[in-house]
Amino acid sequence: MKFNSNSILSLPRRGFIKLTASAAAGYVLSSPGAYNKTENKMNKKSIRIKNVSSNFEREPLYPYRFKGGAVTEAWQVAALLESDSGIRTIGLGSQGVLWSDARVAFEHSESGGNALMYAVSEHALKMIEGQSFTDPLQLLDDMYPEVYAYASRITDHEDLRKTFALNALVCVDNAAWLLYAQEHGITNFDAMIPDAYKPGLSARNDKVASIPSFATGTPIDKLTESTDEGYFILKLKIGAAGTQEEMLEKDKAFLTEVHQAMQAYSTPYTKDGKIPYYFDANGRYEKKETLERLLDHARKIGAFDQIAVVEEPFDEFNTSFVGDLGVRIASDESAHTVEDAADRIEMGYTAFAVKAIAKTLSMTMKITQLAYEHNVPCFCADLTVNPILVEWNKNIAARLPAFPGISTGLQEANGHQYYKKWDKMMSYHPMPDAPWVEPDGGVYHTEDPFFEHGGGIFKPMPHYEGLFEV
């Protein structure tokens, strides 16, 4: 499949990793920001997309504050693909405009920003209508450059963050994977993973920790309620609003409160039995020295050794080396693509927050394989997605190698905290009563039934199918 674009735009690379011999032999740069495995033993049956359609629902949120802004609703986009054989599949995506490119969010009303991202999803669908593909990885690589160029034009940002386009493509990519699976009689997630990407997703965790999220300033009793229920790793959304100095002081005070409260708790899932802290700054720290002051404060109060990871402390254009900070630094938004992930390893990043539900399953497979080959641990972060997308992420989290010092898979899941109609949304899950759907004692039980059913993602979704009934 070939697409033409007058303007293929991508962000510049900022560093070059020396890939291992095996990795160098296995990857080729096929499109802006996309490495492909040359040895990809997927069935090459050609699938023609006869019809496409899309729809969306607006789901209200309790205000979720980060990056100096707030989100009060999340659009749930459904993309429909129908093949020549008459198979119809629906892929879901939860939009995250503020997360993917805050500039677009701040320049428009919340609905306006969501409408722009939805337009990108619709454009992608119209591009592939009448086209054929052999596998979803190839489909993403073929359409991504033009989709990114279109997203750049309608947002009026030539340097649009690549995650904006990838976020818009999640629903399309998921529909393509489900169509590929049905066309080939696949009902198992492991069978759907191409051979070239299986090593990075070869673990079989029988438990996945469910990680709730708390912003700086959250009342401490909200955190202790979670730990009382068994949640044992806390995501702390640092990077409070205000000047850099105001932000730092608020973050230090919040960490002090959290650490004092967590001394009363222990967990069997960490090597030292202590509650680990997972910081996410969403790029709010402008200078490395400011982060060092926060880490110095953590040392002063005795919290430093409980910091499991600090995610995305700096803006993606900050190329500071982070391998000398004494803690594990993870990349999330800045690792838009596998090429960007390689750059981050060069800068000293030693973990990746991967998001099949925000950057597409196809791109996530590439990133997890690169990370595996460089011994860089990964964990799954949320985008405040719907319950069915939680299962797509869980399929990744249950297959990632263990995170250092922790005996379970790791997956942030905050939808139950922020969606006002979460219980109703849970009823849309194709297997809502399955034993892996709800966390128990802070963990999802991803045992044999979970792997057998792929978390339920291959099952019919009557509610979302109803969005396309005439």
Side-chain angles (χ1 to χ4, degrees):
M1 177 167 49
K2 295 181 179 179
F3 301 114
N4 295 317
S5 175
N6 295 324
S7 177
I8 304 300
L9 305 172
S10 63
L11 298 177
R13 295 191 66 186
R14 292 172 297 282
F16 299 90
I17 187 170
K18 294 180 180 179
L19 297 176
T20 62
S22 61
Y27 285 108
V28 293
L29 186 60
S30 61
S31 65
Y35 282 102
N36 259 345
K37 281 286 191 175
T38 56
E39 296 297 324
N40 185 0
K41 299 178 181 178
M42 295 184 78
N43 191 309
K44 294 302 181 183
K45 172 184 177 181
S46 181
I47 302 168
R48 182 177 177 275
I49 301 169
K50 181 173 64 175
N51 292 314
V52 301
S53 188
S54 70
N55 207 339
F56 70 95
E57 292 184 315
R58 300 166 67 159
E59 290 291 351
L61 303 172
Y62 299 106
Y64 188 14
R65 306 182 189 283
F66 61 98
K67 287 194 176 183
V71 181
T72 63
E73 69 175 22
W75 286 19
Q76 311 300 313
V77 180
L80 182 147
L81 299 182
E82 181 180 2
S83 67
D84 275 345
S85 61
I87 295 174
R88 289 159 53 105
T89 57
I90 294 171
L92 302 180
S94 291
Q95 295 191 166
V97 178
L98 179 60
W99 170 79
S100 62
D101 196 316
R103 296 171 304 175
V104 178
F106 293 141
E107 289 166 359
H108 301 274
S109 66
E110 190 169 3
S111 293
N114 277 307
L116 287 169
M117 184 175 283
Y118 179 66
V120 177
S121 303
E122 175 74 6
H123 180 77
L125 286 168
K126 297 308 293 182
M127 280 174 55
I128 63 177
E129 186 174 20
Q131 303 291 334
S132 298
F133 72 102
T134 54
D135 66 72
L137 290 151
Q138 170 245 322
L139 180 66
L140 178 70
D141 283 344
D142 283 348
M143 68 171 141
Y144 172 76
E146 185 172 333
V147 170
Y148 178 80
Y150 174 78
S152 298
R153 289 196 299 272
I154 67 169
T155 59
D156 198 27
H157 283 289
E158 290 189 355
D159 62 344
L160 182 73
R161 299 182 74 248
K162 287 178 274 188
T163 41
F164 189 95
L166 288 168
N167 192 175
L169 284 168
V170 168
C171 57
V172 183
D173 188 67
N174 284 353
W177 277 106
L178 292 174
L179 186 60
Y180 174 86
Q182 286 201 37
E183 289 280 356
H184 293 87
I186 295 171
T187 59
N188 178 284
F189 194 86
D190 289 306
M192 197 169 69
I193 303 172
D195 289 348
Y197 301 99
K198 286 185 186 296
L201 295 170
S202 58
R204 198 176 177 92
N205 299 309
D206 61 5
K207 294 182 181 64
V208 171
S210 177
I211 307 173
S213 177
F214 304 95
T216 293
T218 301
I220 294 301
D221 60 1
K222 295 292 185 183
L223 282 75
T224 56
E225 285 175 11
S226 290
T227 44
D228 286 340
E229 293 173 11
Y231 294 93
F232 70 90
I233 180 168
L234 305 176
K235 180 170 183 175
L236 307 176
K237 298 281 282 189
I238 60 173
T243 66
Q244 288 290 287
E245 196 62 33
E246 290 169 341
M247 173 195 74
L248 178 62
E249 293 308 311
K250 291 176 184 177
D251 287 350
K252 286 164 61 175
F254 184 52
L255 175 57
T256 298
E257 282 191 277
V258 170
H259 186 60
Q260 289 174 347
M262 290 302 111
Q263 297 315 293
Y265 295 91
S266 63
T267 176
Y269 298 119
T270 59
K271 190 173 182 179
D272 61 7
K274 296 180 180 180
I275 301 295
Y277 307 142
Y278 158 19
F279 292 167
D280 181 9
N282 283 117
R284 277 278 292 150
Y285 277 66
E286 294 176 2
K287 296 180 180 179
K288 183 177 177 179
E289 292 76 15
T290 310
L291 179 62
E292 288 174 325
R293 290 170 62 190
L294 178 67
L295 296 176
D296 286 342
H297 177 73
R299 290 186 182 90
K300 180 180 178 181
I301 64 174
F304 186 81
D305 291 339
Q306 286 175 243
I307 301 174
V309 64
V310 179
E311 178 187 315
E312 210 69 58
F314 310 125
D315 180 273
E316 66 179 278
F317 299 106
N318 185 329
T319 58
S320 298
F321 182 75
V322 300
D324 55 1
L325 287 169
V327 294
R328 189 176 297 277
I329 307 296
S331 175
D332 176 16
E333 297 99 309
S334 60
H336 308 273
T337 66
V338 68
E339 183 185 16
D340 298 314
D343 290 345
R344 293 288 139 174
I345 295 174
E346 184 77 5
M347 296 177 203
Y349 286 77
T350 51
F352 290 117
V354 294
K355 291 182 173 178
I357 43 75
K359 302 177 190 173
T360 73
L361 175 62
S362 294
M363 189 60 71
T364 297
M365 286 181 180
K366 298 179 183 184
I367 292 173
T368 55
Q369 182 60 27
L370 176 75
Y372 174 82
E373 293 174 0
H374 290 273
N375 197 31
V376 174
C378 297
F379 58 94
C380 284
D382 200 0
L383 190 69
T384 314
V385 297
N386 63 63
I388 296 172
L389 285 175
V390 169
E391 303 298 349
W392 284 81
N393 234 15
K394 201 180 299 175
N395 271 294
I396 298 296
R399 291 168 171 82
L400 289 172
F403 199 82
I406 299 173
S407 62
T408 70
L410 296 179
Q411 175 178 349
E412 180 195 2
N414 61 48
H416 65 287
Q417 296 176 274
Y418 294 104
Y419 280 105
K420 291 184 176 181
K421 300 178 181 178
W422 182 255
D423 289 343
K424 185 174 180 63
M425 294 173 70
M426 283 294 296
S427 71
Y428 308 156
H429 193 296
M431 302 180 72
D433 299 320
W436 64 80
V437 174
E438 297 276 13
D440 176 26
V443 298
Y444 296 109
H445 291 275
T446 50
E447 292 152 344
D448 287 345
F450 169 81
F451 287 95
E452 179 184 351
H453 294 285
I457 68 169
F458 300 103
K459 303 290 185 182
M461 302 180 294
H463 172 77
Y464 293 105
E465 291 166 10
L467 296 179
F468 297 96
E469 291 179 357
V470 178

